[in-house]
């Protein structure tokens, strides 16, 4: 049960994040909600790769525990996902700044020049 | 944006250099320890962030030009793709530098040890390339966003005290 | 020469990436150097894609392992599953890559002149080539995680390009919408990848496909993948980004964006046929795809008929055209585990879907370029402001007629052949399916007659007296796509036999895809 705790945290974060992204009114809050989903995804991958009692997957620094390590692949995947997440967050925030400059508001209900 | 108090400025002036050196350390030890090009590059880019926050945008944007970081970014990216083409004799991204005896080319010592910096071939080279790229890219994002804040601030915040800064 | 042939899959990605990274260096030497660099990189990419297609059609699936001791060494030192970055190109991937590279070349030729009056072109070229790299990467990767990475590269680059005219509020708004949706969609893909990794300890498509057994995790992953990819290719009910992004992007970019959305559709093909295939079990996914397809067709075309903005109208048409592909794909998926029905009409449905995908990318790209040419020459995209341009821009008008006849499915053109294949095969499932598709086709014809009549025929507007034909490079970009459309139209048997049929067969042959990687290589 306690071993499943990360997965519950992931589910909760995804639900909060999606809720915020769908029902949020403020653009910055929407960007934060998207980052929350991103964090949840990364936590999910890391939790999948964790092995109870395993050491770090760096051979020369693992000491005497070199035969039992956590999986390195999910960590590599997460690093890539974090880099991509940073890029998307930066782009989202830049677009929000531009939107604020054009519309003078951060409220999604007022930013709807494109419809129909 | 106004500069912060003299205490903050002094501390940031001093620590920005340590942060930069630590970031470079993380970059070049990317193949031996947790970290690597992106993480180290992000740490080095904190240099620019600290200066921007403590000295204010007006002064900082006068000190550096975005073209400088633009060049950084493209040197990093081109080095990265060149590192890929280096191994094209075998396969793309083939680690042709490893065990060649030259740059990053010595053998990895066996058994638990502190790690030897001059190993791992193309991987270390790519770490450096990614590090240079991320330093340029993140610093440029910070600078451009700061310039963007200027554009937004002018009509709306003129004459008002800025929120979030002490004094 | 032989050594280059071996490295074609890697070059297909490395060339656009190199082009993107070196674009500012080229731009340093002036705009002419940058344009030469831009066009030559996209042309070289198209050449590499053509070579790759030839190689695949000559010798079957090509596997490329990045950084290995040999480019086909998928399982080094007796490992059970591949560990390195894999590129796997079968006939479908090769067709998609070739098609995408042509669209990229046409868009590049068009953009060289149509964008020249704007600043920030170094970044434009870099992002355009990055988008090309992301699209090609999605199409030739053999690895689910890399699919996610290239998906994100493509979406970040395309959002940057959609917001290229950042002083237009609409462009920024469209870009934000697209970015938000594609980020959430890509994260859903990542969660699905994580499910696969947790279950099978691999992210290679072939590895997952060989072990896949339908359980709860796989069903959840399927839902995530199908919904995210269907969103990325703009099907109803997740289509709201499509008209905005397509209409607000510069025209050359829109031409490429069409091909990028088809790369997402390719991902959907890959997931449904290669990853799950016959182990899909129930027909729920197939019916979901069919229903999404019908909804997209009908809602897309009805929304298109009422539009005033030329590019927005065409964007809604692309929603409706994607519906045809989904319909054909759903029909094929429905009968995938029944060899008899598969031979009777399933294979034809799949071929129709793949063929329509090819046709659609070509004529839709052409239509968007024509819309861009109208906006370039007449300064407006609003149909109410246009009129009588057929006399001023006869060549553009002729190109428009070719594309419009193809999209409406008029008999000699390629759209007719692929639509006919989809009608015939879906009729075997239920007679109502082709009825919806035919009604859509008629409404498509109606709305393009409207565009042609309003923009090109009729009395000349006073404001449009001074309009001239667009520059040669822009016409060259359009003509490239028009030539492809005409070749596909005039030689339907040849194009189905050599392009479409191998691609459809590759999609159905799951064992070959798996065996090319898990056979150990070499």
């Amino acid at each position: 049960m306690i071993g499943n705790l990360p997965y519950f945290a992931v589910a909760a974060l995804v639900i909060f994040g999606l809720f915020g992204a769908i029902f949020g009114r403020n653009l910055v809050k929407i960007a934060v909600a998207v980052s929350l989903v991103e964090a949840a995804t990364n936590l999910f991958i890391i939790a999948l790769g964790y092995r109870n009692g395993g050491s770090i997957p760096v051979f020369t620094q693992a000491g005497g525990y070199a035969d039992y390590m956590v999986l390195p692949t999910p960590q590599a995947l997460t690093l890539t996902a974090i880099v991509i997440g940073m890029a998307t967050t930066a782009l989202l925030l830049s677009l929000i700044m531009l939107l604020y400059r054009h519309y003078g508001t951060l409220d999604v209900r007022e930013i709807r020049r494109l419809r129909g | 944006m106004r500069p912060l108090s003299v205490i903050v400025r002094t501390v940031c002036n001093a620590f920005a250099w340590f942060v930069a050196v630590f970031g470079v350390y993380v970059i070049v030890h990317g193949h031996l320890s947790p970290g690597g090009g992106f993480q180290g590059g992000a740490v080095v880019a904190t240099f620019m962030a600290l200066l921007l926050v403590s000295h204010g945008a007006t002064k900082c944007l006068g000190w550096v030009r975005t073209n400088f970081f633009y060049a950084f970014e493209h040197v990093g990216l081109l080095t990265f793709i060149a590192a890929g083409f280096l191994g094209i004799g075998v396969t793309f991204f083939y680690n042709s530098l490893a065990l060649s005896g030259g740059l990053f080319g010595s053998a990895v010592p066996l058994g638990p040890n502190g790690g030897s910096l001059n190993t791992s071939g193309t991987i270390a080279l790519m770490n450096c390339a990614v590090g240079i790229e991320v330093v340029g890219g993140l610093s440029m994002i910070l600078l451009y966003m700061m310039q963007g804040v200027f554009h937004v601030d002018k009509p709306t915040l003129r004459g008002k005290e800025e929120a979030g800064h002490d004094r | 020469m032989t050594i280059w042939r071996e490295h074609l899959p890697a070059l297909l990605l490395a060339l656009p990436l190199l082009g993107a990274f070196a674009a500012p260096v080229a731009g340093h030497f002036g705009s002419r150097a940058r344009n030469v660099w831009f066009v030559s990189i996209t042309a070289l990419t198209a050449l590499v894609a053509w070579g790759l297609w030839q190689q695949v059609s000559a010798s079957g699936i090509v596997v490329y392992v990045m950084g290995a001791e040999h480019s086909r060494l998928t399982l080094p030192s007796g490992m059970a599953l591949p560990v390195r970055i894999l590129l796997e190109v079968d006939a479908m991937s090769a067709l998609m890559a070739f098609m995408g590279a042509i669209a990229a070349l046409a868009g590049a030729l068009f953009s060289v002149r149509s964008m020249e009056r704007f600043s920030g072109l170094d970044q434009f070229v870099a992002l355009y080539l990055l988008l090309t790299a992301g699209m090609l990467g999605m199409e030739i990767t053999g690895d689910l995680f890399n699919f996610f990475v290239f998906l994100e590269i493509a979406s970040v680059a395309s959002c940057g390009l959609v917001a290229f005219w950042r002083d237009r509020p609409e462009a920024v708004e469209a870009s934000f919408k697209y970015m938000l949706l594609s980020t959430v969609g890509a994260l859903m893909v990542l969660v699905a990848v994580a499910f696969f990794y947790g279950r099978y300890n691999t992210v290679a498509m072939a590895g997952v496909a060989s072990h896949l057994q339908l359980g709860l995790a796989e069903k959840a992953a399927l839902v995530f993948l199908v919904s995210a990819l269907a969103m990325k290719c703009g099907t109803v009910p997740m289509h709201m980004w499509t008209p905005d992004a397509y209409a607000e992007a510069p025209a050359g970019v829109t031409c490429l964006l069409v091909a990028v959305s088809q790369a997402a559709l390719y991902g959907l093909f890959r997931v449904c046929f290669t990853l799950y295939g016959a182990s899909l079990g129930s027909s729920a996914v197939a019916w979901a795809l069919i229903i999404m397809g019908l909804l997209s067709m009908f809602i897309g075309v009805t929304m298109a008929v009422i539009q005033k903005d030329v590019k927005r109208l065409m964007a809604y048409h692309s929603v409706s055209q994607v519906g045809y592909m989904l319909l054909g794909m759903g029909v094929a998926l429905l009968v995938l585990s029944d060899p008899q029905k598969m031979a009777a009409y399933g294979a034809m449905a799949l071929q129709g879907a793949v063929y329509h995908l090819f046709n659609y990318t070509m004529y839709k790209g052409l239509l968007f370029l024509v819309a861009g040419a109208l906006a370039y020459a007449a300064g407006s995209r609003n149909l109410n402001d246009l009129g009588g341009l057929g006399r001023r821009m006869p060549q553009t008008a002729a190109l428009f007629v070719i594309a419009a006849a193809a999209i409406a499915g008029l008999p000699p053109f390629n759209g007719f052949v692929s639509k006919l294949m989809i009608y015939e095969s879906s009729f075997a499932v239920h007679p109502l399916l082709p009825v919806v598709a035919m009604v859509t086709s008629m409404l498509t014809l109606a709305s393009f007659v409207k565009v042609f009549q309003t923009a090109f025929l009729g009395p000349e507007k006073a404001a449009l007296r001074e309009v001239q034909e667009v520059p040669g490079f822009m016409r060259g970009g359009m003509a490239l796509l028009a030539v492809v459309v005409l070749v596909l139209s005039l030689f339907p048997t040849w194009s189905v036999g050599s392009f479409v049929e191998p691609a459809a067969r590759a999609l159905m042959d799951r064992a070959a895809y798996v065996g090319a990687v898990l056979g150990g290589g070499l």
Side-chain angles (χ1 to χ4, degrees):
Chain A
M1 184 62 198
I2 195 76
N4 285 335
L5 202 58
Y7 301 113
F8 291 125
V10 167
L13 281 173
V14 168
I15 290 168
F16 290 154
L18 285 182
F19 185 86
I22 295 168
F23 296 106
R25 297 287 183 214
N26 188 315
L27 289 177
V28 178
K29 284 184 185 164
I30 290 177
V32 172
V34 170
S35 316
L36 210 58
V37 182
E38 225 165 69
T41 317
N42 293 336
L43 179 61
F44 182 46
I45 305 177
I46 283 291
L48 280 174
Y50 184 69
R51 295 292 177 266
N52 211 354
S55 64
I56 58 164
V58 180
F59 183 70
T60 51
Q61 293 180 2
Y65 310 102
D67 51 341
Y68 194 63
M69 299 174 177
V70 299
L71 298 183
T73 319
Q75 305 195 355
L77 302 189
T78 314
L79 277 180
T80 317
I82 287 173
V83 175
I84 293 172
M86 189 219 68
T88 52
T89 312
L91 187 56
L92 274 180
L93 290 175
S94 315
L95 288 174
I96 289 172
M97 287 171 66
L98 282 171
L99 279 175
Y100 184 73
R101 201 189 299 177
H102 285 304
Y103 292 82
T105 176
L106 289 175
D107 192 331
V108 281
R109 284 167 296 186
E110 291 174 35
I111 301 176
R112 46 188 328 169
R113 204 170 285 192
L114 292 166
R115 52 198 312 192
Chain B
M1 242 182 222
R2 299 221 190 140
L4 298 189
S5 67
V6 68
I7 300 173
V8 180
R9 267 183 285 151
T10 317
V11 172
C12 284
N13 281 349
F15 271 86
W17 298 102
F18 287 108
V19 164
V21 171
F22 176 65
V24 173
Y25 170 84
V26 173
I27 293 174
V28 294
H29 284 75
H31 53 293
L32 294 176
S33 61
F38 178 76
Q39 290 80 355
V43 173
V44 177
T46 319
F47 179 81
M48 207 60 235
L50 281 177
L51 291 190
L52 272 173
V53 170
S54 60
H55 289 273
T58 329
K59 230 172 178 181
C60 257
L61 293 177
W63 288 340
V64 288
R65 285 194 302 160
T66 44
N67 273 351
F68 176 66
F69 290 114
Y70 197 58
F72 251 68
E73 188 177 11
H74 284 279
V75 167
L77 287 170
L78 286 174
T79 320
F80 187 84
I81 202 98
F85 274 108
L86 213 56
I88 197 91
V90 186
T91 48
F92 197 68
F93 280 128
Y94 178 70
N95 199 339
S96 50
L97 289 180
L99 305 180
S100 66
L103 181 70
F104 299 121
S106 55
V108 182
L110 286 177
N113 59 67
S116 157
L117 198 58
N118 199 25
T119 53
S120 87
T122 318
I123 297 172
L125 190 64
M126 283 197 234
N127 257 327
C128 295
V130 171
I132 294 170
E133 194 275 330
V134 171
V135 171
L138 277 184
S139 307
M140 220 160 64
I141 288 176
L142 286 172
L143 289 175
Y144 274 128
M145 281 193 148
M146 210 48 144
Q147 287 175 347
V149 169
F150 261 139
H151 287 293
V152 178
D153 277 352
K154 264 180 197 160
T156 52
L157 286 177
R158 185 177 296 141
K160 285 190 203 159
E161 198 66 21
E162 258 188 271
H165 280 207
D166 55 358
R167 146 194 359 204
Chain C
M1 213 45 221
T2 48
I3 175 163
W4 288 110
R5 292 192 74 80
E6 188 188 331
H7 295 296
L8 284 180
L11 282 178
L12 190 61
L13 298 185
L15 266 180
L17 279 180
L18 177 69
F21 298 160
V25 181
H28 192 71
F29 296 103
S31 62
R32 179 178 288 272
R34 182 186 56 228
N35 290 340
V36 168
W37 179 252
F38 187 24
V39 173
S40 55
I41 283 287
T42 42
L44 269 178
T45 311
L47 260 180
V48 169
W50 171 248
L52 189 60
W53 179 80
Q54 275 190 325
Q55 199 181 346
V56 169
S57 53
S59 58
I61 296 177
V62 174
V63 179
Y64 192 90
V65 189
M66 292 273 192
E69 283 78 16
H70 190 283
S71 61
R72 293 194 304 278
L73 184 66
T74 49
L75 300 175
S77 50
M79 289 193 170
L81 292 168
V83 286
R84 293 185 201 266
I85 292 177
L86 265 181
L87 304 177
E88 186 169 7
V89 191
D90 65 357
M92 180 70 189
S93 315
L95 174 65
M96 293 295 301
F98 177 51
M99 197 182 79
I102 291 182
L105 176 58
L109 280 172
F110 188 86
S111 301
V112 163
R113 286 303 297 277
S114 75
M115 301 301 290
E116 69 184 349
R117 53 184 156 170
F118 300 104
S119 65
L121 285 181
D122 289 352
Q123 286 87 344
F124 175 84
V125 172
L127 282 175
Y128 189 96
L129 291 171
L130 205 59
L131 180 55
T132 312
M135 171 191 73
L136 294 172
M138 279 162 79
E139 288 163 356
I140 67 170
T141 181
D143 188 317
L144 281 166
F145 185 75
N146 280 315
F147 184 80
F148 159 77
V149 171
F150 286 117
L151 186 71
E152 279 283 29
I153 289 179
S155 43
V156 169
S158 51
C159 288
L161 287 169
V162 170
F164 183 73
W165 288 318
R166 61 170 199 272
D167 42 353
R168 280 173 59 84
E170 292 91 350
V172 182
E173 185 185 336
S175 174
F176 184 81
K177 227 184 240 181
Y178 184 29
M179 188 73 224
L180 197 60
L181 280 171
S182 54
T183 308
V184 174
L187 287 173
M188 283 160 96
V189 172
L190 185 57
V191 169
V193 175
F195 273 124
F196 287 131
Y197 186 81
R199 289 280 290 159
Y200 305 110
N201 279 327
T202 182
V203 287
M205 287 187 197
V208 174
S210 71
H211 293 103
L212 195 112
Q213 305 234 312
L214 205 63
L216 190 63
E218 286 76 7
K219 281 180 188 164
L222 182 65
V223 170
F224 280 134
L225 281 172
V226 169
S227 49
L229 292 173
M231 188 278 293
K232 281 291 288 184
C233 58
T235 53
V236 174
M238 285 108 34
H239 67 290
M240 56 292 222
W241 65 268
T242 323
D244 301 349
Y246 283 6
E248 294 307 326
V253 174
T254 317
C255 173
L256 185 55
L257 276 182
V258 170
V260 172
S261 76
Q262 296 317 296
L265 193 69
Y266 159 83
L268 204 54
F269 272 108
R270 206 34 107 204
V271 165
C272 290
F273 286 94
T274 305
L275 214 53
Y276 284 84
S279 64
L280 208 52
S282 78
S283 54
V285 178
W287 277 110
L289 288 176
I290 292 177
I291 289 167
M292 277 201 295
L294 293 180
L295 279 177
S296 310
M297 271 186 221
F298 194 69
I299 295 179
V301 83
T302 40
M303 289 299 287
V305 170
I306 57 171
Q307 295 300 321
K308 296 272 187 299
D309 183 326
V310 182
K311 272 182 94 180
R312 221 172 152 73
L313 181 145
M314 290 174 182
Y316 271 113
H317 275 299
S318 54
V319 173
S320 94
Q321 293 293 311
V322 168
Y324 283 96
M325 274 85 96
L326 287 177
L327 176 61
M329 184 178 165
V331 169
L333 204 57
L334 199 60
V335 295
L336 190 62
S337 48
D338 186 343
Q340 210 174 358
K341 283 183 183 168
M342 197 69 200
Y345 58 91
M348 191 204 261
L350 191 56
Q351 283 176 21
V354 174
Y355 193 27
H356 199 65
L357 196 157
F358 193 3
N359 295 338
Y360 160 79
T361 312
M362 293 301 123
Y363 59 63
K364 201 67 195 185
L366 178 52
L367 280 173
F368 276 120
L369 291 187
V370 169
L374 284 180
Y376 180 90
S380 172
R381 300 191 319 228
N382 193 332
L383 279 177
N384 291 340
D385 301 344
L386 301 175
L389 288 171
R391 266 161 248 134
R392 299 276 163 208
M393 304 164 72
Q395 297 178 12
T396 310
L399 292 165
F400 177 81
V401 169
I402 292 174
I407 194 176
L410 293 186
F413 284 95
N414 54 2
F416 171 73
V417 184
S418 53
K419 278 181 182 177
L420 190 66
M421 288 163 95
I422 294 172
Y423 295 155
E424 282 189 2
S425 52
S426 59
F427 185 80
V429 175
H430 196 284
L432 262 181
L433 304 182
V435 171
V436 178
M438 283 180 195
V439 170
T440 305
S441 191
M442 276 180 250
L443 287 172
T444 308
L445 181 60
S447 79
F448 277 99
V449 167
K450 177 182 101 174
V451 173
F452 186 65
Q453 202 270 335
T454 336
F456 291 104
L457 303 181
E460 232 168 34
K461 292 261 162 82
L464 303 176
R465 285 277 148 71
E466 305 300 315
V467 167
Q468 289 182 345
E469 185 65 88
V470 291
F473 264 103
M474 290 168 73
R475 274 177 285 160
M478 292 191 274
L480 174 65
L481 291 176
V483 165
V484 178
V485 168
L486 285 178
V487 167
L488 289 175
S489 307
L490 296 178
F491 308 103
T493 325
W494 172 77
S495 50
V496 169
S498 53
F499 288 101
V500 177
E501 214 248 311
R505 221 177 325 118
L507 276 177
M508 288 186 283
D509 195 356
R510 199 162 159 240
Y513 192 86
V514 171
V517 169
L518 295 190
L522 291 182

